[in-house]
Amino acid sequence: MARIAARALAAKGSCVLVPPVRVQDALGAATYTVVSSPAGNLSLTLLERTGYRGPFLPGFRPLSSKTGPGWFSHVDHLTLACTRGSSPTLMRWFHDCLGFHHLPLSPGEDPELGFEVTAGSGQGGLRLTALQTRPCSAVPTLVLAESLPGAAGGPDQVQQFLARHRGPGLQHVGLYTPNITEATEGVTLAGGRLLIPPKAYYQQPGKERQIRAAGHEPNQLALQGILLDGEKGKFLLQVFTKSLFAEDTFFLELIQRQGATGFGQGNIRALWQSVEEQAARGQEA
């Protein structure tokens, strides 16, 4: 199947970067191949492991509590920073080639327009388009992020990513955790640097009541920089790290879902403002 899929993608314009390779151990054999995508230098690894009885691939072993903290269970989503106006083309490619479908982030959302997050008059904003495969699939959700026109205060974080990364690419990975306060504490103690939301975020009208309704303490979330969004018993908690590399591009998101299936639309603007404020402080320093 990996060989057939690679040939099919090559027929649609992808380059086969790594021809099919067969690997095996005592638990069976698997095949992988690497192909290019239309999203900058982002490449895709295709795995065929129907004949493999191990947990993942030959040479891998499951992580036990004795060898790691187990803060995260799986990858929740991947976000790509894209050039302005490219989201519809990328969405069609991921649909036609890999079977992804549009996942609305707001009721009645036009897939060609996506979900717009404006940052205020003359400040631009973000356009987000979410894609997913079939329900209950183990494949992470894919989010396309591009800048809206109109920013007057210099390049935003997507534009900065494109410049520093020298093109489109993977902006962040969302890691799912069943306990975000514990995971955040562990990441911090391990040396992880977290992005701090604006202080006004936790002072919004109704925010304290919302946090308590989700079963959390407002002071604890504020201390750790954890964002919370949701209503009607369905909540989403998020915290973001600073960039992992000197280029100030790629970062991680820790995410806990309490019944919510979206991406914390109410938190997106808070994250935007937080990143922009810290970028401004960095330019002043």
Side-chain angles (χ1 to χ4, degrees), residues 164-241:
R164 294 165 179 169
H165 187 69
R166 295 181 293 279
L170 183 62
Q171 184 204 40
H172 77 267
V173 172
L175 301 175
Y176 183 85
T177 174
N179 189 326
I180 196 167
T181 56
E182 180 180 303
T184 300
E185 180 181 5
V187 169
T188 302
L189 291 174
R193 299 180 304 145
L194 301 180
L195 198 61
I196 304 302
K199 293 181 180 179
Y201 173 83
Y202 300 97
Q203 300 169 355
Q204 298 176 83
K207 179 56 69 175
E208 179 176 348
R209 183 174 63 254
Q210 182 188 39
I211 292 175
R212 293 191 185 280
H216 298 274
E217 286 296 324
N219 290 339
Q220 180 66 34
L221 297 194
L223 181 64
Q224 295 184 293
I226 297 173
L227 306 174
L228 182 142
D229 188 32
E231 58 182 4
K232 298 179 181 179
K234 296 183 178 181
F235 300 97
L236 178 76
L237 296 97
Q238 303 162 289
V239 67
F240 301 85
T241 72

